[in-house]
Amino acid sequence: MPTGIDRVERAYLRHLLSDNVPLFGLVRTRAGYLLVDGQGLAAFLQRLKDDGRWPRSDLLSRLGRDADTAAQAETFLRRHAVARALPPGLPRLLRRRLPPDLTYFNVGHSNLTARVLNAMYEAGVCGHVMIHDVIPLLHPCFQREGTEERFRAALARVSEKADRIIYTSRDTQTRTEPYLRQMGRVPSSVVAHLGVELVEPDLGTSVPSGPYFVTVGTIEPRKNHRFLLDLWSQLGPDPPKLLICGTRGWRNEDVFAALDALPAEGPVKVIQGLTDPALARLMQCSAGLLFPSLAEGFGYPPLEAAGYGTRVLCNTLPVLREVLGKKVDFVSVNDSQSWLRKIQNWARTHNEAEQTKAFHPPTWADHFNTVLR
């Protein structure tokens, strides 16, 4: 399942490829940097659409790591590169190979290194950086070891070098700019909600009999799966099913142990590797999507579920109120009894419930009209 940032990068690649302007992609590899032109990027996007049937990884891509999918994709991109350079040669590569008056979009929180940003600045490139959230600074306890320090350093470089920041929500802007002021400079900015792409549900995907609920997201601390497991332990002898759709993340050993201890025929199931159409089907047929997340920069799953007409129960996060308004139900995770009552009520009325009022989530056309105008 692609993460939220994966979806953003894919949407930007697709949109910029459709524009009639020169396009280049900068790829950082373990051996240095690759510059890929529009033709190579189009081939890369097509491989993503084809579920990533990559070539066998070459020796250079395998150095120091297993021959995984990343190594295979790197091999593919190296074959399509129009130029390459060792790390110290990046500034010269950009000055020689890029046309003048170019704009650089970094929309994934990666490659915000001093080397890349300094090289772009020296080449006269106008840099636009998307900030999805500042969760590593606000909630370091949810992060992998060392993430807070790396993120703070990257944000300081953005403060110094970026020409403009793209915020995915007003809430993220409000939370980010105090840090930037402390760092010495607040770049100009624009707020543009991310686009939501609703796919046609896969009618061939089997769904559980009886009422069931869905929660979507990487199994990491801030997604608050522990809260749902505790609720399900209080639902009595015949609870509805709970489908946890997502892969295992980090720093969540107690939840992993609880999941490993679940009975095979019990009501709680973990499902991985779903396609977007299969996930859409599970959402659409469920009694509701549950989203008790403790922190978000945007929050794709409740927007997607609401777009399919599914009932949604969310924690009271400001960003979710911003992007969803009154289209879903909000209950604080500090009020577990209200969550229990809502779940029990939705399970009882599942067969009688009509879909929620039509919700039209933001589109990528809306986003790009704001960002690129």
Side-chain angles (χ1 to χ4, degrees):
M1 255 196 323
T3 66
I5 289 181
D6 294 335
R7 295 169 190 269
V8 173
E9 292 182 321
R10 183 176 61 192
Y12 263 76
L13 179 56
R14 186 175 61 229
H15 183 86
L16 294 175
L17 279 168
S18 71
D19 206 351
N20 188 28
V21 294
L23 181 66
F24 295 88
L26 181 67
V27 183
R28 184 178 62 182
T29 74
R30 298 197 176 193
Y33 293 90
L34 309 175
L35 193 66
V36 182
D37 65 8
Q39 186 174 354
L41 291 172
F44 178 72
L45 180 61
Q46 187 59 49
R47 284 297 173 106
L48 292 178
K49 291 178 180 177
D50 294 340
D51 298 323
R53 290 193 288 273
W54 307 105
R56 186 167 180 265
S57 56
D58 58 23
L59 180 60
L60 194 57
S61 299
R62 293 197 303 271
L63 286 177
R65 69 179 176 200
D66 296 330
D68 57 8
T69 303
Q72 294 172 323
E74 187 177 299
T75 298
F76 179 87
L77 287 164
R78 186 175 291 107
R79 292 176 183 175
H80 287 81
V82 295
R84 59 179 80 177
L86 295 173
L90 179 61
R92 184 168 179 265
L93 168 70
L94 298 182
R95 288 195 302 269
R96 289 184 57 206
R97 299 304 300 258
L98 294 183
D101 301 321
L102 211 69
T103 299
Y104 172 56
F105 286 94
N106 184 309
V107 297
H109 278 197
S110 61
N111 252 6
L112 295 173
T113 62
R115 188 185 302 279
V116 169
L117 294 181
N118 287 336
M120 291 289 180
Y121 185 79
E122 292 171 20
V125 173
C126 182
H128 297 237
V129 175
M130 180 176 287
I131 299 296
H132 293 260
D133 59 67
V134 283
I135 292 172
L137 304 183
L138 292 170
H139 304 284
C141 60
F142 294 157
Q143 306 300 308
R144 293 185 178 95
E145 201 69 37
T147 299
E148 180 186 5
E149 294 78 9
R150 289 192 298 272
F151 186 88
R152 188 181 299 276
L155 192 62
R157 291 189 286 270
V158 170
S159 171
E160 180 186 3
K161 298 294 185 183
D163 292 281
R164 186 175 69 154
I165 294 177
I166 305 164
Y167 293 108
T168 61
S169 67
R170 187 72 59 189
D171 181 66
T172 297
Q173 181 187 38
T174 300
R175 295 176 187 274
T176 304
E177 290 192 342
Y179 290 104
L180 296 173
R181 277 192 286 273
Q182 293 172 10
M183 293 168 179
R185 176 175 172 265
V186 181
S188 66
S189 63
V190 62
V191 175
H193 289 165
L194 301 175
V196 177
E197 297 175 281
L198 300 179
V199 301
E200 194 67 31
D202 178 8
L203 300 181
T205 299
S206 62
V207 299
S209 59
Y212 69 92
F213 292 84
V214 173
T215 188
V216 179
T218 302
I219 305 172
E220 51 158 316
R222 72 179 173 92
K223 296 296 185 180
N224 210 10
H225 292 86
R226 176 81 268 173
F227 176 76
L228 293 179
L229 293 178
D230 289 344
L231 290 183
W232 249 254
S233 71
Q234 301 174 55
L235 283 172
D238 189 27
K241 296 179 178 64
L242 172 65
L243 306 185
I244 299 175
C245 304
T247 57
R248 294 192 178 194
W250 50 88
R251 299 184 75 164
N252 219 6
E253 282 69 24
D254 63 325
V255 171
F256 299 156
L259 294 176
D260 289 339
L262 291 173
E265 300 305 317
V268 180
K269 304 286 186 186
V270 178
I271 304 178
Q272 301 182 36
L274 288 169
T275 64
D276 285 348
L279 179 60
R281 175 67 171 170
L282 290 178
M283 282 184 177
Q284 194 177 56
C285 297
S286 72
L289 177 117
L290 306 178
F291 202 67
S293 178
L294 298 172
E296 291 292 328
F298 189 66
Y300 264 122
L303 281 158
E304 292 171 337
Y308 291 121
T310 301
R311 295 182 293 194
V312 177
L313 181 57
C314 289
N315 188 18
T316 51
L317 299 181
V319 67
L320 297 180
R321 290 192 182 277
E322 176 186 336
V323 298
L324 284 158
K326 298 180 180 179
K327 298 297 183 181
V328 306
D329 286 52
F330 290 98
V331 178
S332 169
V333 292
N334 294 323
D335 186 0
S336 60
Q337 290 306 305
S338 291
W339 274 73
L340 279 170
R341 287 193 293 271
K342 184 73 73 172
I343 290 168
Q344 289 167 334
N345 179 54
W346 284 5
R348 282 195 305 271
T349 61
H350 174 49
N351 290 331
E352 307 153 22
E354 296 180 1
Q355 288 191 325
T356 60
K357 292 181 181 178
F359 172 68
H360 302 290
T363 67
W364 280 114
D366 299 330
H367 177 89
F368 290 119
N369 283 340
T370 299
V371 171
L372 301 180
R373 65 187 176 189

